[in-house]
C-alpha cells in the first residue's frame, strides 16, 4: 500500500525546507530589532477560543475549521490563525502585569479547510506578530513598518501596501445598516454566502472572493462616511507617519478583512507585479481595540499581522531571491581501505567539531567510486587517506576549484582549510 499526503498539504524537504527556515530566520532577525519576543502556543485549542474571536459569521468559523471531539468529549480545533491563541495565552499568563507593552511573534502551521489551489493550502505556515497595550497611531505605523522592513530584508520587489480604516464598533454598526439598505434587492446573482451575509454581516460582502469585483459592490457606500472624527483622525495620523517614513501605500476603501475583531487600521501587503502571482496577498493584519476585553480580559488594545510563508516562498522563487540558503560542504573524505575508513571517520568528526561540514563515503573503497560521491557533493576540499597517509599522518588534500593537490600534516589541516588564502570558493 502506498500513501499520499492529504489534499492541500505540502512536504518541504532539503532545499525547500532550507528556504522555509531562511525566511523564518530573517523574519526573527528583523523583529528582534523591533523588540519582539517569541511565543509558542499549542496547535490545538478549545474551539470556543476561535469562535469567540473570529466571529460566528466569519468564513473561518463557518466553513474552514478542523474541529473534532477528543476522547473526553471536548470540542477541540486545530488553530486556523494565530491571534486568538496568542490573546488566550496573553490573558491566561497575565503577561500584561509585567509590562505596559507586550510585543510577541509566532511561527507555525495553521489549518483551514479551504479549496486548495496555488498559494492556498489546508495546512500552511504563518509568521505573525501581536502587540498589546497601546492604541497609538505611532504603534500602528511602526507595526506596518516592521512588516515592510521584513519584506525589504528578504529582497522582495513589487509589493504594494493597501491600508484602510474600518472604525470602531458603533460606526461599523451604522455602516452595516447602510450597506443592508443599499444591497437589498440588488443581490439576485450574488453567491449563497453573500445572501446570508446581507443579514448577518453585510461588511463581508465587500470581502467576498466571488462577488467583490462586481460593480454593485465597488459602488457601495464607503465606510469612511460612517466613521467617527476620532477614527478618521487616527487614520490620518497613521498614513501621515507612513508618508514621513517614505513607506509607499495605497488607501483601499473596500479593504475590510475577513475577521470580526478588527477595529480602525487594517492593511494588506499584496504582490503588484504583472504575472501569475499578481494580486497574491502575502501579509494581512490590523488593529483590534476590543478583542482582549471581549475575551474577558482587561481593556487592552492590540494590533497584529500574519505572513503566509509559502506565499513568500513562491514570490521569492519567482524573483530568484534564494542564493545563500545552503551551507556548502567543506570536505569529502575519501578513504581507501577499512583501516583508513576508521581513521577517516574519526578525522571527519574532529573537523566537524571545528564547525566544518564533512561527508564521507561509507561503502566504497575504490578511488573512482568515491570520486563519484565527491563530484555530486562538490565540496571545497577532498581529503584522501590510504595506507601511506594513515601511517605517516600526512594527508593528501585536494582543492577542488583550483584543481591543486598538497600533502599536509593532519594536525595542520584545520588551519590550512580556514586560511583565507586558500578560501576562494
Ligand atoms: P485570503 O484573502 O488570501 O484568504 P485571509 O484574509 O484569509 O487571506 P489571513 O487570515 O489574514 O488571510 O492570513 C494572513 C496571510 O496568511 C494571508 O495574507 C496569506 O498570505 C496567508 N494565508 C491565509 N490563508 C492561507 C492558506 N489557506 N494557504 C496559504 N496561505 C494562507
Ligand atoms: Mg481566507
Amino acid at each position: 500500500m502506498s500513501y499520499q499526503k492529504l489534499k492541500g498539504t505540502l512536504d518541504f524537504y532539503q532545499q525547500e525546507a532550507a528556504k522555509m527556515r531562511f525566511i523564518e530566520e530573517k523574519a526573527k532577525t528583523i523583529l528582534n530589532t523591533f523588540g519582539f519576543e517569541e511565543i509558542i502556543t499549542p496547535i490545538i485549542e478549545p474551539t470556543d477560543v476561535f469562535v469567540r474571536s473570529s466571529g460566528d459569521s466569519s468564513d473561518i468559523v463557518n466553513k474552514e475549521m478542523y474541529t473534532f471531539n477528543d476522547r473526553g468529549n471536548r470540542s477541540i480545533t486545530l488553530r486556523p490563525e494565530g491571534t486568538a491563541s496568542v490573546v488566550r495565552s496573553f490573558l491566561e499568563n497575565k503577561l500584561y502585569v509585567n509590562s505596559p507593552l507586550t510585543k510577541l511573534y509566532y511561527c507555525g502551521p495553521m489549518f483551514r479547510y479551504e479549496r486548495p489551489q496555488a498559494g492556498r493550502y489546508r495546512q500552511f505556515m504563518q509568521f505573525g506578530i501581536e502587540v498589546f497595550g497601546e492604541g497609538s497611531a505611532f504603534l500602528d505605523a511602526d507595526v506596518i513598518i516592521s512588516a515592510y522592513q521584513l519584506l525589504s530584508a528578504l529582497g522582495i520587489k513589487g509589493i504594494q501596501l493597501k491600508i484602510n480604516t474600518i472604525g470602531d464598533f458603533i460606526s461599523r454598526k451604522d455602516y452595516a445598516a447602510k450597506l443592508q439598505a443599499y444591497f437589498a434587492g440588488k443581490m439576485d446573482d450574488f453567491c449563497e454566502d453573500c445572501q446570508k451575509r446581507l443579514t448577518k454581516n453585510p461588511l463581508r460582502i465587500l470581502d467576498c472572493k466571488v462577488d467583490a469585483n462586481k460593480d454593485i459592490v465597488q459602488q457601495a457606500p464607503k465606510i469612511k462616511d460612517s466613521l467617527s472624527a476620532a477614527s478618521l483622525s487616527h487614520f490620518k495620523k497613521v498614513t501621515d507617519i507612513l508618508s514621513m517614513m517614505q513607506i509607499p501605500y495605497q488607501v483601499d476603501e473596500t479593504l475590510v478583512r475577513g475577521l470580526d475583531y478588527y477595529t480602525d487600521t487594517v492593511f494588506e501587503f499584496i504582490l503588484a507585479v504583472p504575472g501569475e502571482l499578481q494580486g497574491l496577498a502575502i501579509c494581512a493584519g490590523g488593529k483590534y481595540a476590543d478583542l482582549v476585553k471581549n475575551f474577558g480580559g482587561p481593556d487592552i488594545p492590540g494590533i497584529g499581522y500574519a505572513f503566509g510563508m509559502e506565499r513568500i516562498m513562491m514570490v521569492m522563487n519567482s524573483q530568484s531571491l534564494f542564493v545563500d540558503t545552503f551551507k556548502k560542504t567543506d570536505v569529502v573524505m575519501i578513504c581507501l581501505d577499512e583501516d583508513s575508513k576508521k581513521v577517516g571517520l574519526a578525522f571527519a568528526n574532529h573537523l566537524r567539531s571545528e564547525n566544518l561540514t564533512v561527508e564521507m563515503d561509507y561503502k566504497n573503497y575504490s578511488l573512482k567510486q568515491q570520486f563519484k560521491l565527491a563530484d555530486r557533493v562538490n565540496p571545497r576540499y577532498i581529503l584522501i587517506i590510504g595506507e601511506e597517509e594513515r601511517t605517516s599522518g600526512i594527508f593528501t588534500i585536494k582543492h577542488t576549484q583550483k584543481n591543486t593537490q598538497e600533502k599536509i600534516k593532519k594536525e595542520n589541516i584545520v588551519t590550512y582549510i580556514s586560511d583565507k588564502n586558500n578560501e576562494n570558493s
Side-chain angles (χ1 to χ4, degrees), residues 64 112 114 120 209:
E64 298 177 358
R112 296 183 193 175
E114 301 213 62
R120 192 174 293 289
K209 299 260 181 322

Side-chain angles (χ1 to χ4, degrees), residues 118-119 121 277 280 309-318:
Y121 312 101
L277 303 180
L280 190 73
M309 307 254 297
E310 290 84 357
R311 293 192 192 178
I312 290 189
M313 200 158 135
M314 284 167 72
V315 174
M316 288 183 66
N317 274 333
S318 78

Side-chain angles (χ1 to χ4, degrees), residues 354-381:
E354 299 287 339
N355 231 355
L356 294 165
T357 303
V358 186
E359 290 199 50
M360 68 182 283
D361 186 322
Y362 300 103
K363 185 173 120 195
N364 298 299
Y365 293 103
S366 88
L367 205 59
K368 193 174 155 201
Q369 282 166 320
Q370 295 191 70
F371 263 110
K372 261 196 200 153
L373 169 80
D375 275 349
R376 192 169 57 73
V377 174
N378 192 21
R380 289 163 58 221
Y381 295 96

Side-chain angles (χ1 to χ4, degrees), residues 15-33:
Q15 283 210 20
E16 302 308 296
K19 288 174 181 176
M20 204 60 143
R21 297 300 175 209
F22 175 83
I23 297 169
E24 186 180 336
E25 285 310 311
K26 261 279 174 359
K28 288 181 177 172
T29 307
I30 297 293
L31 290 174
N32 283 334
T33 69

Side-chain angles (χ1 to χ4, degrees), residues 238-391:
V238 175
T239 50
D240 282 351
I241 300 166
L242 292 176
S243 302
M244 177 194 85
M245 292 299 291
Q246 300 188 330
I247 307 284
Y249 63 84
Q250 195 185 48
V251 175
D252 177 350
E253 291 178 340
T254 61
L255 184 66
V256 291
R257 309 286 302 117
L259 302 166
D260 265 355
Y261 51 63
Y262 290 112
T263 49
D264 285 319
T265 316
V266 290
F267 56 92
E268 252 180 37
F269 287 85
I270 64 160
L271 190 67
V273 289
E276 244 180 294
L277 303 180
Q278 184 167 24
L280 190 73
I282 292 178
C283 170
K287 181 174 163 175
Y288 42 87
D290 308 319
L291 182 58
V292 174
K293 193 174 61 188
N294 293 345
F295 253 77
D299 190 1
I300 296 175
I303 179 168
Y305 60 69
F307 282 93
M309 307 254 297
E310 290 84 357
R311 293 192 192 178
I312 290 189
M313 200 158 135
M314 284 167 72
V315 174
M316 288 183 66
N317 274 333
S318 78
Q319 298 184 358
S320 309
L321 295 175
F322 292 106
V323 273
D324 42 46
T325 37
F326 309 104
K327 189 172 180 334
K328 220 178 151 192
T329 301
D330 296 301
V331 180
V332 166
M333 312 278 310
I334 290 186
C335 308
L336 302 174
D337 57 55
E338 183 79 12
D339 282 342
S340 299
K341 284 249 188 274
K342 288 182 188 160
V343 172
L345 184 91
F347 196 68
N349 280 288
H350 164 63
L351 294 179
R352 289 168 186 154
S353 73
E354 299 287 339
N355 231 355
L356 294 165
T357 303
V358 186
E359 290 199 50
M360 68 182 283
D361 186 322
Y362 300 103
K363 185 173 120 195
N364 298 299
Y365 293 103
S366 88
L367 205 59
K368 193 174 155 201
Q369 282 166 320
Q370 295 191 70
F371 263 110
K372 261 196 200 153
L373 169 80
D375 275 349
R376 192 169 57 73
V377 174
N378 192 21
R380 289 163 58 221
Y381 295 96
I382 296 171
L383 256 181
I384 304 167
I385 308 177
E387 191 184 346
E388 188 193 319
E389 285 85 357
R390 174 161 41 87
T391 41

